[in-house]
Amino acid sequence: MTQTIKRTGAMVLTLALLCILALGAAAASRQSVGVKFWKEKSDKESMANSGVDSDREATLTRQSNGTYTLSLPIKQVSKMGVTGSLTGLTIGDMSYDGVKSGDFEKNTAVLTIKNLPASVLTGSDLNKSLLVTCNIQMDMSILGEINTSARMCIWVK
């Protein structure tokens, strides 16, 4: 009888651990998202949108600590004959610098921004969009960093 109780207890414990592992794996789930920027206090699109490659997929990955990592396919932005690219976001007082990988020439450039708060999930409702500052690096030797205020909306595709 004692052996049966021990074996049953071991099976229950094993099942409980498997469930916990399954939930932990789901916590780091990756999903395709849409990203759009609007000018502050306007329904017009922000210049930052021209730096996002809409032909490729943006993804949002939930980390185990509750924050999100945004992988944003980017391309070069041209304004008044000067080119640059999106380098990060500022949400409120917090600045989130991204890490660029890939190559603009080969259309593989991706900006990875880590530790974004859960509040980035605004849905497609423009009224719930966040006020962010898009950090765009324009020809360092001439203009340096250009920041443009916009509202950002991220939604699950």
Side-chain angles (χ1 to χ4, degrees):
M1 185 71 160
T2 309
Q3 289 289 6
T4 306
I5 293 173
K6 285 182 182 177
R7 287 183 182 157
T8 304
M11 276 189 0
V12 169
L13 183 60
T14 302
L15 286 173
L17 287 173
L18 283 172
C19 288
I20 290 170
L21 285 173
L23 289 173
S29 65
R30 197 177 142 150
Q31 50 193 335
S32 297
V33 294
V35 178
K36 194 65 113 173
F37 298 98
W38 285 271
K39 288 184 179 178
E40 188 180 356
K41 299 177 183 172
S42 172
D43 287 337
K44 293 184 179 178
E45 289 190 13
S46 168
M47 178 182 95
N49 282 330
S50 60
V52 178
D53 189 349
S54 59
D55 293 335
R56 294 186 290 141
E57 182 178 77
T59 59
L60 195 67
T61 306
R62 185 179 188 278
Q63 303 302 319
S64 58
N65 65 0
T67 64
Y68 288 85
T69 298
L70 177 64
S71 296
L72 197 58
I74 56 172
K75 57 186 181 181
Q76 289 187 320
V77 180
S78 292
K79 189 81 171 175
M80 297 179 288
V82 181
T83 58
S85 66
L86 194 66
T87 61
L89 301 171
T90 300
I91 302 174
D93 295 332
M94 294 295 295
S95 187
Y96 302 93
D97 292 326
V99 175
K100 186 181 84 70
S101 58
D103 190 349
F104 288 118
E105 302 297 322
K106 297 177 183 174
N107 294 326
T108 59
V110 173
L111 184 69
T112 303
I113 307 172
K114 294 184 177 183
N115 298 321
L116 289 170
S119 60
V120 299
L121 292 172
T122 59
S124 59
D125 186 358
L126 184 61
N127 295 324
K128 294 181 182 176
S129 60
L130 291 173
L131 180 60
V132 299
T133 303
C134 306
N135 304 327
I136 300 174
Q137 184 72 44
M138 301 293 280
D139 195 351
M140 257 167 64
S141 61
I142 300 172
L143 297 177
E145 193 84 8
I146 291 179
N147 295 321
T148 175
S149 290
R151 291 178 295 160
M152 175 180 71
C153 197
I154 297 178
W155 67 96
V156 179
K157 285 187 177 179

